[in-house]
Every structure is written in structure tokens, then in C-alpha cells.
């Protein structure tokens, strides 16, 4: 019989379950339709799949596309990183070497035996270099001693009879593997090479080998250098920098280039101009290579172009004496107490020096500099900068005598009235891509869930006397945690920092405003966002915990029906449901804060800046991600347990045919489907769709995102329909309310004709028949268990 007939008999025969199914279908169809409509709009606007401006796999062999060009690894070069820049595996006598990048010393695979002073260190090194004809070739093997370490060399260097060349060679071998250098090794090595640079000028080979040692030292980690600076009581860093400055103008127009340091010496005569221009060009890698530096003795002004990374113009006036320039690839030798480097961005240091013994009219000497920072413009935005020099009196950066001279979109310009080691200390703001506000699909789904959860909580509390206390407490706790999470998600997930206006006023500031920034990264602290992230973390864990406890409870009630619930069951599940998530969140935040050390904005290790939620892994470092240990793993364990119990209950209880029942008493398939859905919703089974959103394919991920949003933002609405609307008590009370509203309407508005009156009589009779139909809404037959243990 059709459900939409207009006769009295048709209305009475209409199955209320079908009406509920129609309502649920309409709501689901509306939400799904909005999702499809939203997807179509995104496709039409061309934002469904972001199109990269970089050709697919344009950069080869590990190269990365940055700022319009490929940045290659040291082993490759060229426009697309396809030209080999290494020496292949080789064997020389008893030593075997792996692949060695051009310009570097490669360690031998043979290491010092256990029990020796240098156990585990390579026995020899070999240089891969480019010949004067442009051919890549290997140099002779340099052997080291397993019985001499850097501390031994530190003692030997003060012995006047010791060979500086041998000491320099041993130091180079011992520092080949920078990843194994300790703070003590750094201090000893800088002391040794500093003393070598202070040796007489005839120690030419020892000093060139020492340059390679300095370059290798600069490959050590920033943390090791910071520890070495703290224990450097003899100021070996400062001594090394000074000695290298003096060495830079003694090479007679020669250039020495290592991956992390380049030295250029310039000789001048009476016919030389009043200034010297030293330039460093951009390359295909982050290392310094031969050919990237140049000297112009006749220049009288800076002339940077698109390939210029930095330039320095040394104005000497009438002084025609020799001078030297040094470029450091990073600032690790210049450990500052006022400027903190927290990122892996490399800030180059440039030095200019005139032979002080022959220097004349020093007050007229000045330098002009231009810097073109090579940071990733897709992720960082320049916030401020300062023109500084290294002050040996305070052993730190200083701005005295230096000022800004304006800047353009590409270059930062500085002017200083003296010569020494210069730098531009830059601070950056990460260019976060804050997401747009929640779309209409999420808003509607969350709004329906919030309303449904609130009504379910009220209904469960008001009708708690007709069911077991444990059943009511579990469902109310689950709905309460889910309700609070939805409210926090809707009103607090967005970071209020997205509304802050950005300004470049610090970049284009008055040249006299040359203040040293405190750090190379600027963050806008937002404690409220951190608090919201912690609350979201807690209440979502609470929701999943109560999902698991609900599964455990139903397992006891439906599978172990002959055994009573454990003693103090409510107290135990309450401690677990509300206490365990609090412990997880507290331990996570405490651990991150303790491991942050002196890091100022430690909360960004816990949460994201884009949204107020747990931080995602950086550089695929899942092992240190709070999202993995404090959320994904606990939730995965709960979901696996819930799915296991869900399958057991579905097979053994819901879909098991009882042959002792007559055909008129057998549970219908529709009722079994509703029972299965009821359990799946309260167990949180649909959250397994979240794992499909981890797929890297954008097309697949966006589809699962909408399916996930559809099922989980409406989870509260599903609970309301399956656990409130379908209960006998709710339907009885709803019929009374409808009857009361119908009666009051009859009293306030007279009927204009007899036909509407008959229609109201039919509606009244239908409402009276509802209680008799309610028995069909029970998820399990009364003969199987009582009202107290039914899933409704």
C-alpha cells in the first residue's frame, strides 16, 4: 500500500519507520547535494587541484625548485641538475672511497680499529677537484694517523719544532666527517687552524689545507657550534677570524674556494682606482664553487644584476695597498648572544680587510654592500633586517658605523665607515596559508549535530529512570564530549592571527633605524589558539575513549549476558573516559615544553599556526610528531577494538537467525539495518575514513574529505535520530505535544469549513495510533532482552 495516499486508511497504514527513513534520507540528500554543489563550484573555479607553476620533475637528481631555478645537491649541477659533479667510487692501494662531490675531501671506507685513539674515524681522505682543463679528477690520497686526535694536535701546534704542514693535514683528515664532530673537537680544531694561519708566510701549503679544514668544520651542526662557543674560554673563534682576515690580503691576487668559504686577495698599485668591487654570483647549489667570485679593480659603484648574490665595494681613497675579501657560507663561527638563529636558513658573512701595517688615512675608508638573500619566497617573507659588523671587543654583532642605504624588491643595501666582517641580519615571517572559513557543508553538519546532541542529552537525563544507569551515563558522556568538541571546532578552530594585517614597514624603515633583530624568525604568539588546540585534542580523545567504553559496555550486555557488569563499573569508566585523555594531553604538552629548551615559541611544536590543531610532521619526521603519538596511535587502537567488537555483535546478535522464532516474530531486515547503523554510529566506525584522507593523490583525497565531512559532522544528528527519535518514550511525548498544539490551534482559530475539520480528525486518529506502532521501532525483540538492555 502506498504511504502517500490521502485517505484515512492510507495515513493509518503508513509505516512510521519509513517516515523516519524519508526524513533521514532528505537530510542526507541535502547535505550530500551541498557537498556536490561545493565540489562543482571548486572545479569550475579551477581550484579543485592546484596546478604547480613548476614543470613536473623538472629538477632531477634530488634538485628542488626555489625562486625560479633548480637548487641542486653538491653531486649535480646544471639547469636541471643533470650534469655530474662528482668523482665515482675509487680504490687507491689499501683504501677505498665512495662517491666524492667536486671540491670536497672524501673519507676512506677503512676506519681506525677499536682501541685506538681515533677509533671509527677514516684512515685517509681524497680530494675530488677540477683540473685547469675542466676535467673532474681525483687527487692523491692523504693518510692520517689513528694515534693522533685533535686534542693532541692542539698541544703539538705550540711546539716550534713540529711541522705545521703535517699538523694541518692531520686536522683536515680528522674533520672530514663533520657529523661526528663534538663541541670539544670544534674548539680544538679552530685553535689549531688559527695558530696555523698565524705561522710565517712560507707555510703556504699548510694554510691552504687549513682553509679546507675550516670549510669542513662549518658543516657541523648549529647545536654543536653553540655548545663549543659556550666552552670557548680561549676565544679560539675570534682568533681564527682575525688570523684569516690577515691571511686574506697575502695571496697576491689568488683565489681559494672551498664549499663553505672563499678567499680573494687583491694587489694594487699606484695606477689602481680608488675602489675595489668584489662580487659573488648565484649558483646551482648552496655551496661556493670556483667561478662564482669576481674582482673589478676599476669599479666605482655597485652594479648588481639578477645573478648577483652579494657585492661589496671597498672605497680606499688614496690608499693603494693590498686588500682581501672572505665569504663565509654561514654564520656558525660568529656565535651571537643578541641574535638567535633558529631556522636552517644560511646567512652569509663577508669580510674586507686592508693591510693594516701599510694602511693610511683609515678614516676615509668605507664599504658599500648589497645583499640578495636567497631564502624560499614561497614559505618566508622578509620582515626586517639590520646592517652589522662583528665587534671583537664585545665578541658580538654591532651596528656602530653601519647604516641602511635603502633597498629594492631584490637587494638590501648597507654602508659602513670601516672594514671588518659584515653581515645583514635578517628576520623572516613564515608566509602561512591560512585556510578559508568553514564551508557551508561543515557549518550545516556541525549545526545539526550540535542541536541533535543537545536534545539527546536532555532526553537521556529526563528519562533516565526507565533504563540502566550505566547505559544513560555512557551515552550522555559521549554526547557531552562530542557536543563540546563541535562547539570548539565551529567557534575556535580558526587562528585569529589570520586577521592580523601584515606590514613591510620594518623593511622600508628609516635608514637610521638599524636595530638588530632578536631572532631570524618572527612569530605572533597566540596563547588562546594553543588553549583551543589543547581543548580540541582533549575532547576529541574523550569522544573516542567513550566510543571505546560504549563498545565495551555493549559487549558485556549483549555477548556476556549471563555475567553482571563489574563492580563500580560507572566509577571505573568515568575515570578512564575523562582521566586518561587528560593524562595524554598533559604529558604531550609537558614533554614538548621540556624539550623545547630556550625556544621562545615552543607551542608551534605542539600546534599548527594555520589552524588551532595539532602540528603535522615536518619533513616527514613522524617520529617526533605529537599528532602521531598523542592522537593517531591512541585513536587507531580504539578504532581497531571498536571494529572488532562491532563485527562480533553484528554477526552473533544482530544478523543471527533464530530458528525457534516463527516467521511473524522474526526481525525484519530493515530493523537489522537500523540496529547495525546504531552501533556503527556510537562506535565511531566512520572515522576510519580519515585514514583515506592521508592519500597523496589530490583527486582521491578531496573526494574522501567530503565523504568524511558528510558522515562525521552529522554524527550528532545520527545519534539523535537513532537513539532519541526512534525510542518509544520520545514518540509518545512527541505525539502528546502534537496533540496539545493541535488542540490549542483548534481553540484559537475556528474552522472555516467541515472539510479541514475532517482532516484534523484523521490526523488525530493517526497520532493516537502511533503508540501502538512504537513496538516496531525496538532494535531487538522484547523476548530477547528487556527495555533496559535494548540498543534503543
Amino acid at each position: 500500500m502506498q504511504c502517500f495516499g490521502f485517505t484515512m486508511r492510507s495515513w493509518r497504514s503508513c509505516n512510521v519507520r519509513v517516515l523516519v527513513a524519508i526524513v533521514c534520507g532528505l537530510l542526507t540528500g541535502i547535505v550530500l547535494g551541498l557537498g556536490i554543489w561545493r565540489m562543482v563550484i571548486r572545479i569550475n573555479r579551477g581550484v579543485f587541484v592546484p596546478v604547480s607553476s613548476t614543470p613536473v620533475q623538472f629538477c632531477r637528481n634530488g634538485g628542488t625548485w626555489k625562486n625560479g631555478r633548480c637548487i641542486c645537491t653538491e653531486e649535480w649541477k646544471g639547469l636541471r641538475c643533470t650534469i655530474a659533479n662528482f668523482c665515482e667510487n675509487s680504490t687507491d692501494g689499501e683504501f677505498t672511497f665512495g662517491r666524492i662531490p667536486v671540491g670536497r675531501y672524501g673519507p676512506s671506507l677503512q676506519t681506525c680499529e677499536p682501541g685506538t685513539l681515533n677509533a671509527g674515524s677514516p684512515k685517509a681522505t681524497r680530494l675530488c677537484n677540477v683540473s685547469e682543463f675542466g676535467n673532474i679528477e681525483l687527487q692523491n690520497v692523504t693518510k692520517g694517523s689513528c694515534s693522533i686526535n685533535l686534542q693532541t694536535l692542539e698541544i703539538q701546534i705550540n711546539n716550534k719544532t713540529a711541522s705545521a704542514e703535517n699538523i694541518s693535514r692531520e686536522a683536515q683528515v680528522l674533520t672530514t666527517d663533520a657529523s661526528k664532530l663534538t663541541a670539544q673537537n670544534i674548539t680544538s680544531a679552530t685553535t689549531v687552524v688559527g695558530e696555523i694561519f698565524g705561522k710565517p708566510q712560507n707555510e703556504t701549503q699548510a694554510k691552504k689545507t687549513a682553509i679546507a679544514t675550516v670549510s669542513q668544520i662549518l658543516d657541523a651542526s648549529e647545536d654543536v657550534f653553540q655548545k663549543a662557543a659556550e666552552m670557548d674560554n680561549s676565544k679560539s673563534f675570534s682568533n681564527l677570524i682575525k688570523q684569516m682576515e690577515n691571511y686574506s690580503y697575502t695571496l697576491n691576487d689568488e683565489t681559494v674556494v672551498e664549499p663553505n668559504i672563499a678567499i680573494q686577495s687583491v694587489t694594487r698599485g699606484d695606477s689602481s682606482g680608488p675602489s675595489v668591487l668584489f662580487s659573488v654570483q648565484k649558483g646551482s647549489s648552496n655551496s661556493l664553487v670556483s667561478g662564482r667570485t669576481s674582482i673589478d679593480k676599476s669599479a666605482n659603484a655597485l652594479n648588481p644584476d639578477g645573478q648577483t648574490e652579494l657585492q661589496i665595494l671597498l672605497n680606499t681613497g688614496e690608499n693603494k695597498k693590498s686588500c682581501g675579501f672572505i665569504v663565509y657560507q654561514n654564520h656558525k663561527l660568529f656565535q651571537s648572544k643578541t641574535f638567535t638563529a633558529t631556522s636552517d636558513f644560511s646567512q652569509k658573512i663577508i669580510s674586507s680587510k686592508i693591510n693594516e701595517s701599510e694602511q693610511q688615512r683609515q678614516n676615509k675608508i668605507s664599504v658599500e654592500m648589497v645583499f640578495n638573500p636567497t631564502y624560499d619566497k614561497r614559505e618566508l617573507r622578509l620582515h626586517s633586517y639590520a646592517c652589522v659588523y662583528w665587534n671583537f671587543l664585545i665578541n658580538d654583532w654591532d651596528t656602530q658605523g653601519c647604516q641602511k642605504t635603502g633597498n629594492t624588491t631584490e637587494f638590501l643595501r648597507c654602508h659602513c665607515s670601516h672594514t671588518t666582517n659584515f653581515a645583514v641580519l635578517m628576520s623572516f615571517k613564515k608566509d602561512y596559508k591560512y585556510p578559508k572559513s568553514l564551508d557551508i557543508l561543515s557549518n550545516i553538519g556541525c549545526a545539526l549535530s550540535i542541536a541533535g546532541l543537545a536534545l539527546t542529552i536532555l532526553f537521556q537525563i529526563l528519562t533516565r529512570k526507565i533504563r540502566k544507569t550505566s547505559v544513560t551515563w555512557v551515552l550522555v558522556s559521549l554526547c557531552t564530549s562530542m557536543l563540546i568538541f563541535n562547539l570548539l571546532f565551529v567557534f575556535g578552530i580558526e587562528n585569529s592571527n589570520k586577521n592580523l594585517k601584515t606590514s613591510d614597514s620594518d623593511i622600508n624603515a628609516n635608514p637610521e633605524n638599524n636595530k638588530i633583530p632578536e631572532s631570524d624568525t618572527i612569530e605572533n604568539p597566540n596563547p588562546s589558539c594553543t588553549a583551543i588546540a589543547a581543548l580540541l585534542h582533549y575532547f576529541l580523545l574523550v569522544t573516542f575513549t567513550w566510543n571505546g567504553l560504549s563498545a565495551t559496555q555493549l559487549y558485556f550486555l549483549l555477548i556476556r549476558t549471563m555475567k553482571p557488569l563489574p563492580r563500580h563499573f560507572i566509577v571505573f569508566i568515568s575515570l578512564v573516559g575523562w582521566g586518561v585523555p587528560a593524562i595524554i594531553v598533559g604529558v604531550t604538552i609537558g614533554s614538548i615544553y621540556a624539550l623545547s629548551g630556550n625556544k621562545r615559541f615552543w607551542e608551534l611544536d605542539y600546534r599548527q599556526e594555520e589552524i588551532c590543531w595539532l602540528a603535522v610532521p615536518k619533513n616527514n619526521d613522524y617520529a617526533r610528531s605529537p599528532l602521531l603519538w598523542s592522537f593517531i596511535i591512541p585513536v587507531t587502537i580504539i578504532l581497531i577494538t571498536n571494529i572488532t567488537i562491532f563485527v562480533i555483535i553484528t554477526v552473533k546478535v544482530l544478523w543471527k537467525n533464530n530458528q525457534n522464532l516463527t516467521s511473524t516474530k522474526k526481525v525484519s531486515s530493515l530493523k537489522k539495518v537500523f540496529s547495525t547503523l546504531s552501533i556503527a554510529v556510537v562506535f565511531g566506525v566512520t572515522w576510519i575514513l580519515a585514514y583515506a584522507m592521508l592519500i597523496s593523490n589530490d583527486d582521491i583525497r578531496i573526494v574522501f574529505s567530503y565523504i568524511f565531512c558528510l558522515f562525521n559532522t552529522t554524527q550528532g544528528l545520527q545519534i539523535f535520530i537513532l537513539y532519541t527519535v526512534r525510542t518509544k518514550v520520545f514518540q509518545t511525548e512527541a505525539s502528546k505535544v502534537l496533540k496539545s498544539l493541535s488542540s490549542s490551534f483548534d481553540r484559537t482559530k475556528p474552522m472555516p469549513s467541515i472539510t479541514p475539520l475532517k482532516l484534523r480528525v484523521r490526523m488525530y486518529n493517526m497520532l493516537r495510533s502511533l503508540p501502538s506502532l512504537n513496538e516496531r521501532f525496538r532494535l531487538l525483540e522484547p523476548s530477547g532482552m528487556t527495555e533496559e538492555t535494548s540498543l534503543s
Side-chain angles (χ1 to χ4, degrees):
M1 184 178 292
Q2 298 296 324
C3 296
F4 297 96
F6 293 99
T7 62
M8 178 74 73
R9 184 176 182 181
S10 298
W11 276 103
R12 290 182 177 179
S13 61
C14 184
N15 194 319
V16 180
R17 288 177 298 176
V18 178
L19 292 177
V20 174
I22 292 173
V23 173
C24 296
L26 288 174
L27 291 173
T28 303
I30 291 172
V31 177
L32 184 59
L34 290 172
I36 296 174
W37 168 78
R38 177 69 174 172
M39 190 181 302
V40 171
I41 293 298
R42 294 186 66 181
I43 294 175
N44 291 335
R45 291 179 179 177
V47 296
F48 183 75
V49 178
V51 180
S52 174
S53 60
T54 307
V56 178
Q57 295 184 346
F58 182 79
C59 302
R60 302 297 180 88
N61 299 311
T64 56
W65 183 266
K66 290 183 180 180
N67 302 327
R69 62 193 180 102
C70 288
I71 303 299
C72 309
T73 61
E74 285 188 312
E75 297 177 347
W76 299 91
K77 63 181 180 178
L79 180 64
R80 301 181 62 186
C81 307
T82 55
I83 302 175
N85 191 46
F86 57 85
C87 296
E88 287 287 2
N89 300 344
S90 62
T91 300
D92 189 316
E94 59 180 314
F95 300 111
T96 303
F97 300 87
R99 179 182 290 183
I100 307 173
V102 171
R104 286 193 177 272
Y105 287 85
S108 64
L109 300 183
Q110 291 74 25
T111 58
C112 295
E113 295 78 7
T116 60
L117 197 58
N118 290 326
S121 299
K123 288 185 175 181
T125 62
R126 195 175 194 182
L127 175 65
C128 175
N129 212 346
V130 178
S131 68
E132 58 180 345
F133 302 106
N135 299 321
I136 298 177
E137 57 186 18
L138 287 165
Q139 305 298 315
N140 295 330
V141 174
T142 301
K143 298 180 180 180
S145 174
C146 292
S147 59
I148 298 177
N149 60 12
L150 289 170
Q151 286 73 29
T152 306
L153 297 179
E154 191 176 2
I155 298 173
Q156 291 182 359
I157 194 63
N158 295 319
N159 187 348
K160 295 181 180 181
T161 61
S163 172
E165 185 174 346
N166 292 338
I167 294 176
S168 184
R169 184 173 59 250
E170 290 287 350
Q172 182 274 314
V173 173
L174 291 171
T175 57
T176 302
D177 191 353
S179 62
K180 296 182 179 180
L181 294 178
T182 64
Q184 182 61 54
N185 294 151
I186 296 292
T187 303
S188 299
T190 53
T191 301
V192 171
V193 294
E195 292 296 328
I196 290 175
F197 282 118
K199 295 290 183 179
Q201 293 187 3
N202 57 356
E203 298 287 356
T204 304
Q205 187 57 45
K207 294 181 180 180
K208 288 187 177 181
T209 305
I211 297 175
T213 304
V214 174
S215 179
Q216 292 176 167
I217 292 172
L218 292 176
D219 282 326
S221 67
E222 179 70 25
D223 293 338
V224 173
F225 265 94
Q226 290 177 357
K227 295 177 181 178
E230 293 175 357
M231 58 187 298
D232 184 22
N233 298 324
S234 60
K235 297 184 179 181
S236 61
F237 286 10
S238 297
N239 181 61
L240 173 60
I241 295 169
K242 290 179 180 179
Q243 294 296 342
M244 292 184 67
E245 282 184 355
N246 297 331
Y247 173 70
S248 66
Y249 54 74
T250 63
L251 296 177
N252 299 322
D253 286 328
E254 186 178 354
T255 303
V256 180
V257 180
E258 295 289 338
N260 289 318
I261 189 171
I263 300 178
Q264 175 70 60
S265 183
V266 180
T267 58
R268 307 171 70 214
D270 296 335
S271 60
S272 301
S275 57
V276 180
L277 179 66
F278 176 66
S279 302
V280 178
Q281 301 297 109
K282 296 178 180 178
S284 59
S285 70
N286 289 323
S287 299
L288 295 170
V289 296
S290 299
R292 286 178 57 184
T293 63
S294 62
I295 282 291
D296 187 351
K297 298 182 181 181
S298 60
N300 54 16
L302 296 168
N303 56 357
D305 55 27
Q307 294 301 314
T308 301
E309 187 168 2
L310 63 87
Q311 275 187 353
I312 180 170
L313 182 69
L314 178 60
N315 299 307
T316 61
E318 297 179 0
N319 192 328
K320 307 297 183 180
K321 302 305 179 180
S322 59
C323 60
F325 300 91
I326 304 176
V327 177
Y328 299 90
Q329 179 67 12
N330 55 57
H331 59 272
K332 293 177 182 177
L333 283 176
F334 303 83
Q335 292 295 316
S336 173
K337 296 180 286 294
T338 58
F339 178 77
T340 304
T342 58
S343 66
D344 57 357
F345 172 72
S346 178
Q347 305 201 48
K348 287 183 171 60
I349 312 297
I350 187 167
S351 166
S352 66
K353 183 73 172 179
I354 295 180
N355 193 337
E356 293 184 1
S357 61
E358 303 176 13
Q359 195 171 0
Q360 299 174 0
R361 302 179 183 179
Q362 184 176 357
N363 58 333
K364 292 186 177 181
I365 296 176
S366 64
V367 293
E368 298 177 39
M369 294 165 288
V370 62
F371 291 83
N372 185 3
T374 56
Y375 60 94
D376 191 348
K377 295 179 174 61
R378 297 174 301 176
E379 299 181 358
L380 300 174
R381 180 171 54 84
L382 184 60
H383 175 69
S384 65
Y385 76 97
C387 300
V388 297
Y389 78 99
W390 188 256
N391 189 336
F392 289 103
L393 296 178
I394 61 175
N395 208 31
D396 210 334
W397 296 113
D398 197 355
T399 59
Q400 184 177 4
C402 295
Q403 63 179 3
K404 303 175 184 177
T405 57
N407 63 84
T408 62
T409 55
E410 293 185 58
F411 301 104
L412 308 177
R413 297 176 180 269
C414 298
H415 179 276
C416 292
S417 59
H418 48 75
T419 60
T420 184
N421 298 277
F422 303 100
V424 169
L425 300 183
M426 293 168 283
S427 64
F428 298 89
K429 276 188 176 181
K430 289 187 177 181
D431 193 10
Y432 294 106
K433 306 299 181 184
Y434 293 101
K436 296 181 180 179
S437 300
L438 296 177
D439 56 20
I440 189 172
L441 179 64
S442 300
N443 284 324
I444 291 178
C446 290
L448 293 175
S449 287
I450 290 172
L453 290 169
L455 292 174
T456 301
I457 293 171
L458 290 175
F459 174 77
Q460 292 291 322
I461 293 176
L462 294 176
T463 61
R464 63 187 181 278
K465 294 182 179 180
I466 64 173
R467 68 179 64 81
K468 279 188 177 181
T469 304
S470 63
V471 177
T472 302
W473 179 244
V474 171
L475 189 58
V476 169
S477 298
L478 173 62
C479 293
T480 301
S481 61
M482 195 179 300
L483 174 62
I484 298 175
F485 173 79
N486 276 276
L487 290 171
L488 290 170
F489 179 81
V490 172
F491 297 106
I493 190 68
E494 294 183 4
N495 192 342
S496 58
N497 283 347
K498 67 181 292 187
N499 300 320
L500 296 177
K501 295 182 179 180
T502 59
S503 174
D504 295 334
S505 58
D506 288 339
I507 303 176
N508 302 315
N510 189 322
E512 296 181 358
N513 184 14
N514 193 28
K515 182 180 179 182
I516 299 178
E518 295 181 0
S519 174
D520 60 351
T521 55
I522 302 297
E523 300 288 353
N524 292 322
N526 191 352
S528 61
C529 185
T530 305
I532 291 293
L535 291 174
L536 285 171
H537 185 194
Y538 172 71
F539 282 105
L540 191 55
L541 282 179
V542 169
T543 299
F544 278 106
T545 305
W546 281 109
N547 283 333
L549 292 173
S550 178
T552 304
Q553 180 200 42
L554 287 182
Y555 179 81
F556 278 107
L557 293 177
L558 301 181
I559 304 300
R560 301 180 60 181
T561 56
M562 303 303 295
K563 296 182 180 180
L565 292 174
R567 294 183 60 187
H568 309 296
F569 184 71
I570 296 179
V571 177
F572 175 75
I573 63 175
S574 299
L575 292 175
V576 173
W578 296 102
V580 172
I583 295 175
I584 295 176
V585 175
V587 170
T588 302
I589 296 177
S591 301
I592 292 176
Y593 179 78
L595 294 174
S596 63
N598 297 326
K599 194 172 181 179
R600 298 176 60 192
F601 302 104
W602 62 270
E603 60 265 27
L604 289 183
D605 290 335
Y606 174 70
R607 65 164 176 88
Q608 304 177 43
E609 173 63 20
E610 293 84 351
I611 58 174
C612 302
W613 179 237
L614 298 180
V616 296
K618 297 179 181 179
N619 300 323
N620 295 325
D621 188 11
Y622 289 91
R624 300 180 60 183
S625 170
L627 183 66
L628 175 67
W629 295 105
S630 65
F631 183 74
I632 293 180
I633 290 180
V635 168
T636 301
I637 295 173
I638 293 174
L639 284 178
I640 292 175
T641 305
N642 286 6
I643 292 174
T644 303
I645 297 177
F646 171 73
V647 172
I648 293 174
I649 293 177
T650 302
V651 173
K652 291 188 175 182
V653 178
L654 300 181
W655 291 87
K656 182 179 181 180
N657 292 325
N658 192 342
Q659 302 298 330
N660 297 325
L661 295 178
T662 62
S663 59
T664 57
K665 291 184 179 181
K666 288 183 179 180
V667 181
S668 66
S669 297
L670 181 61
K671 187 177 296 184
K672 292 179 180 179
V673 170
F674 273 114
S675 302
T676 305
L677 289 177
S678 300
I679 295 179
V681 169
V682 81
F683 282 16
V685 175
T686 55
W687 278 87
I688 61 176
L689 295 171
Y691 296 94
M693 295 169 62
L694 300 176
I695 299 175
S696 59
N697 186 282
D698 289 338
D699 297 338
I700 299 176
R701 185 173 64 250
I702 195 67
V703 172
F704 277 104
S705 297
Y706 278 100
I707 297 175
F708 173 81
C709 184
L710 172 66
F711 281 103
N712 291 286
T713 58
T714 60
Q715 190 174 5
L717 176 64
Q718 299 168 39
I719 291 177
F720 172 67
I721 294 174
L722 296 172
Y723 286 86
T724 302
V725 174
R726 298 184 64 248
T727 59
K728 178 180 178 180
V729 177
F730 181 85
Q731 293 181 10
T732 301
E733 295 299 325
S735 64
K736 292 180 181 179
V737 173
L738 291 176
K739 177 181 176 182
S740 175
L741 292 175
S742 179
S743 301
S744 62
F745 183 77
D746 290 339
R747 291 192 299 269
T748 57
K749 184 176 181 179
M751 299 302 298
S753 64
I754 190 66
T755 301
L757 179 60
K758 291 181 178 180
L759 184 59
R760 283 185 174 78
V761 171
R762 293 172 184 170
M763 291 292 294
Y764 174 72
N765 291 332
M766 186 194 71
L767 292 174
R768 291 189 60 190
S769 67
L770 285 176
S772 64
L773 298 174
N774 286 333
E775 294 299 325
R776 299 182 183 181
F777 281 80
R778 299 175 59 85
L779 297 178
L780 297 175
E781 290 294 333
S783 59
M785 53 190 64
T786 64
E787 168 75 7
E788 294 178 345
T789 60
S790 67
L791 293 178
S792 62

